[in-house]
């Protein structure tokens, strides 16, 4: 199966009591489908897979598959740093009807590339031969990385290993992937802000993106990807420019004040990682999201300001990017953007 187009790395909406908001999940899925998304990815790391228990994990996948009902593709998050857990999850997703499973490199215990290939990816790929297996390479969060050479060996031995989610930021690595894995292999961007470059670089010729920003802007992002794939780089570039502020807040970096016990105030660099920024934005706009589960909390005022400035810029310069949200969710974006109470409620105390 050729994976191509824009896929949404879905957030997992949470209710006020911290439980999964399945009604909100269904609403968000209907929005994604209405906007022509190629597929959705439930319970990837954007979906807070590390803090969902396995019962919740499986239920989110099942509910997603049921709601989607073949109207777009479903790539189920099934990665773990335990092959046993990942194998169980991948088999469940395949049996439930997922088109593919996404497996992140094994974080923290950090196996070598050879071990990732033989003791993790190969084990899962062999167990579900009719389901596409998508390795997810993101060394900045896992501390390890499947080498391109081992990816090529895997894809030659297991035809269902036919795509990769690339979040290394290394364009030369991606070019080598295209060279070793061939034209039939799907390279999917895992970094929103690199997607246009990956799609249009003749040495990479990426096939699409698994995007965080598409939780907010699935239609325009899909248009950008499809235009690039069709060779209409002018249209794709224009859309990429309009979407850039949203692409730029997947991770938010700010310096915050810390008051030390001796009374001195110092600056400390804080890096608020995905999905905090996108869930903050969705909550601000009135879209089912809720807070992240601990240990992810709330951003500082400086962090929230970065998110607010980004969405305000898009609304001022390219309101058509966000207009579908108003129509579908029945919200007034302008009033929410300029409502101080909305944003203050999303800041850490």
């Amino acid at each position: 199966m050729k994976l191509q187009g824009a896929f949404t790395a879905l957030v997992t909406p949470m209710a006020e009591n911290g439980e999964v908001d399945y009604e909100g999940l269904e609403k968000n899925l209907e929005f994604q489908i209405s906007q022509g998304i190629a597929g959705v990815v439930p319970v990837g790391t954007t979906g807070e897979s590390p803090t969902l228990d396995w019962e919740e994990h499986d239920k989110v996948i099942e509910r997603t598959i049921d709601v989607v009902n073949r109207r777009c593709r479903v790539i189920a998050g099934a990665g773990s740093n335990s092959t046993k857990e990942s194998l169980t999850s991948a088999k469940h997703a395949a049996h439930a009807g997922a088109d593919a499973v996404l497996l992140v490199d094994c974080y923290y215990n950090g196996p070598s590339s050879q071990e990732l290939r033989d003791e993790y990816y190969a084990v899962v790929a062999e167990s579900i031969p009719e389901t596409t297996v998508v390795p997810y390479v993101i060394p900045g969060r896992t501390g390890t990385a499947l080498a391109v050479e081992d990816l090529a060996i895997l894809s030659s031995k297991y035809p269902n290993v036919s795509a990769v989610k690339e979040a290394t930021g290394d364009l030369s690595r991606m070019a080598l992937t295209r060279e070793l894995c061939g034209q039939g292999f799907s390279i999917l961007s895992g970094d929103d802000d690199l997607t246009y470059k990956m799609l249009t670089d003749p040495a990479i010729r990426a096939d699409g993106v698994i995007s965080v920003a598409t939780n907010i802007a699935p239609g325009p992002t899909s248009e950008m990807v499809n235009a690039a794939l069709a060779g209409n780089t002018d249209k794709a570039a224009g859309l990429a420019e309009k979407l850039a502020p949203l692409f730029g807040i997947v991770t938010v970096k700010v310096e915050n004040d810390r008051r030390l016990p001796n009374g001195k105030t110092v600056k400390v660099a804080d890096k608020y990682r995905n999905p905090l920024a996108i869930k903050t934005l969705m909550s601000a706009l009135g879209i089912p999201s809720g807070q992240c589960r601990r240990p992810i909390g709330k951003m500082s005022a400086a962090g929230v300001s970065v998110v607010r400035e980004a969405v305000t810029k898009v609304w001022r310069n390219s309101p058509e990017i966000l207009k579908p949200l108003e129509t579908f969710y029945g919200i007034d974006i302008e009033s929410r953007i300029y409502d101080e109470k909305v944003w203050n409620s999303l800041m850490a105390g």
Side-chain angles (χ1 to χ4, degrees):
M1 182 181 68
K2 180 75 168 177
L3 294 176
Q4 198 168 56
F7 299 79
T8 297
L10 293 167
V11 305
T12 301
M14 301 293 178
E16 289 187 10
N17 64 2
E19 297 299 310
V20 175
D21 174 11
Y22 290 102
E23 183 178 340
L25 173 66
E26 292 182 12
K27 182 77 170 176
N28 291 346
L29 284 167
E30 291 295 345
F31 175 64
Q32 293 292 322
I33 293 165
S34 75
Q35 296 299 297
I37 201 72
V40 293
V41 184
V43 286
T45 46
T46 300
E48 298 179 77
S49 56
T51 53
L52 267 64
D53 64 39
W54 284 105
E55 182 178 350
E56 292 172 319
H57 191 111
D58 291 347
K59 188 174 178 180
V60 170
I61 290 172
E62 290 167 5
R63 190 69 63 91
T64 299
I65 291 168
D66 287 345
V67 172
V68 166
N69 194 23
R70 299 294 174 186
R71 290 179 289 170
C72 72
R73 286 176 169 167
V74 176
I75 305 174
S80 172
N81 61 351
S82 161
T83 298
K84 182 180 179 181
E85 288 182 349
S86 190
L87 185 62
T88 299
S89 179
K91 285 181 175 179
H92 168 268
H95 184 263
D99 299 289
V101 294
L102 180 70
L103 306 184
V104 68
D105 284 345
C106 299
Y107 43 88
Y108 188 77
N109 46 21
S112 67
S113 179
Q114 175 262 312
E115 290 167 314
L116 282 169
R117 184 193 73 201
D118 296 339
E119 308 299 336
Y120 181 56
Y121 289 115
V123 175
V124 175
E126 188 171 13
S127 74
I128 50 171
E130 302 303 316
T131 303
T132 299
V133 173
V134 185
Y136 176 17
V137 188
I138 181 168
R141 294 189 75 158
T142 63
T144 189
L146 179 68
V148 175
E149 294 82 358
D150 286 319
L151 177 62
I153 292 169
L154 275 169
S155 78
S156 67
K157 186 173 182 180
Y158 302 99
N160 56 329
V161 181
S162 57
V164 66
K165 181 181 178 184
E166 254 289 349
T168 64
D170 185 345
L171 298 177
S172 61
R173 173 195 161 95
M174 300 173 205
L176 181 60
T177 300
R178 178 59 68 212
E179 178 185 340
L180 295 184
C181 295
Q183 296 306 311
F185 189 87
S186 295
I187 299 174
L188 301 173
S189 170
D191 293 308
D192 281 342
D193 58 352
L194 281 180
T195 301
Y196 174 78
K197 175 63 176 174
M198 291 172 62
L199 288 164
T200 57
D201 187 323
I204 300 171
R205 297 185 299 283
D207 298 275
V209 59
I210 295 178
S211 170
V212 173
T214 47
N215 281 281
I216 293 291
T221 306
S222 294
E223 285 185 46
M224 180 196 76
V225 171
N226 293 338
L229 291 173
N232 189 346
T233 53
D234 289 342
K235 179 180 179 180
L239 285 164
E241 184 177 357
K242 292 178 179 180
L243 289 160
L246 298 179
F247 290 166
I249 58 166
V250 173
T251 298
V252 173
K253 302 175 185 178
V254 293
E255 287 195 339
N256 292 315
D257 290 338
R258 298 282 203 282
R259 187 171 179 80
L260 301 179
N262 64 8
K264 183 179 180 181
T265 299
V266 297
K267 295 284 187 183
V268 175
D270 282 313
K271 185 176 183 179
Y272 298 112
R273 293 178 180 266
N274 180 53
L276 181 54
I278 193 65
K279 292 194 87 171
T280 298
L281 178 52
M282 293 172 74
S283 293
L285 295 181
I287 302 165
S289 170
Q291 294 187 22
C292 294
R293 282 188 174 171
R294 291 174 171 172
I296 305 301
K298 292 183 176 182
M299 285 189 283
S300 66
V304 171
S305 178
V306 171
V307 173
R308 187 178 184 182
E309 288 171 8
V311 72
T312 301
K313 184 175 182 180
V314 173
W315 182 247
R316 286 175 179 168
N317 297 338
S318 311
E320 71 277 10
I321 297 292
L322 301 173
K323 276 289 185 182
L325 295 169
E326 286 195 316
T327 303
F328 187 88
Y329 290 100
I331 56 178
D332 184 338
I333 289 177
E334 178 126 356
S335 68
R336 297 190 71 91
I337 284 177
Y338 294 106
D339 188 337
E340 297 296 331
K341 291 182 180 179
V342 166
W343 296 96
N344 289 343
S345 70
L346 298 169
M347 298 175 186

